[in-house]
Amino acid sequence: MKLVTFSAGSSRRVGVVDAEAGVLRDVSELLPAGAGLLEVIEQWAELGPVLRERASGLPARPVEGVELLAPIPVPRRNIFCVGKNYRDHVLEFGRSGYDQPDRSEDLPEYPVVFSKATTSVTGPYGDIDPHHGVTAELDYEAELGVIIGRGGRGISREQAFEHVWGYTMIDDFTARDLQRTHKQWLLGKSLDTHCPMGPYAVSADEITDVTALMVESRVNGEPRQSAPVKDLIFDIPELIATLSAGITLLPGDLIATGTPAGVGIGFDPPRFMVSGDVVEVSITGLGTQRNRIA
Ligand code: MG
């Protein structure tokens, strides 16, 4: 099921999208009053069957013209992110000189984990604030986002997928100068609007083999990144086991799994984003997001 959060006047509504037919159904009336997509994920065991049975009976409208927001517009806490998780990206990052504090082209032995502030989240088609005066080196990173369903701690590799609700797309926009200067990634990764998400939150039952999905990006129509999820150095079960070893994962938690080669600092000289550039990210079955640098 493809779920969306959309804007209706001053309120946020939850919708189910039939992407092939190009239509959206407002399912908010099937949900507890005031429930957003986060609550749907938390209560999926009860609400999933209700949506499956009753959503198709609701009126459909063209999804075109509906203002889609990030599926989880305000996550409960920071988005977990994984750096240096595709081999060719580790190499381009190491060569670029932006990898701090321990510049290296060696593959990481353990997952490199950081986070993005919740206030960095923006919609799948929202404008990206270039933050002139704060950064002059804006870059993009197309990534598969894992959405946790059932929470837990000490989750094993074998049980990991039982805790996955589904998937979305995240563009891990990065201020490279801040990432390098501050020797810790939170600041460079967390500027407002630097985490476009969506358009869909896709439940796991719709994805037969997540490792076969292709993660791709284009800048002004020019292909930049393209790699299958199976190229991840640390796969989804490993990431969930690592994160949950000592941190309780919660329903609705997001994990951005890392970006393939082809980001701006992979070029020599680097190709940073400038106002007017349009970045598109696509993942098989998860749609396309399109964001313009304001
Ligand atoms: Mg990233």
Side-chain angles (χ1 to χ4, degrees), residues 81-84 89 114 141-143 172 174 185 189 256-259:
C81 302
V82 183
K84 302 172 69 164
H89 175 64
F114 60 95
E141 296 191 348
E143 309 201 6
D172 176 21
T174 305
W185 298 2
K189 297 286 192 174
T257 51
T259 203

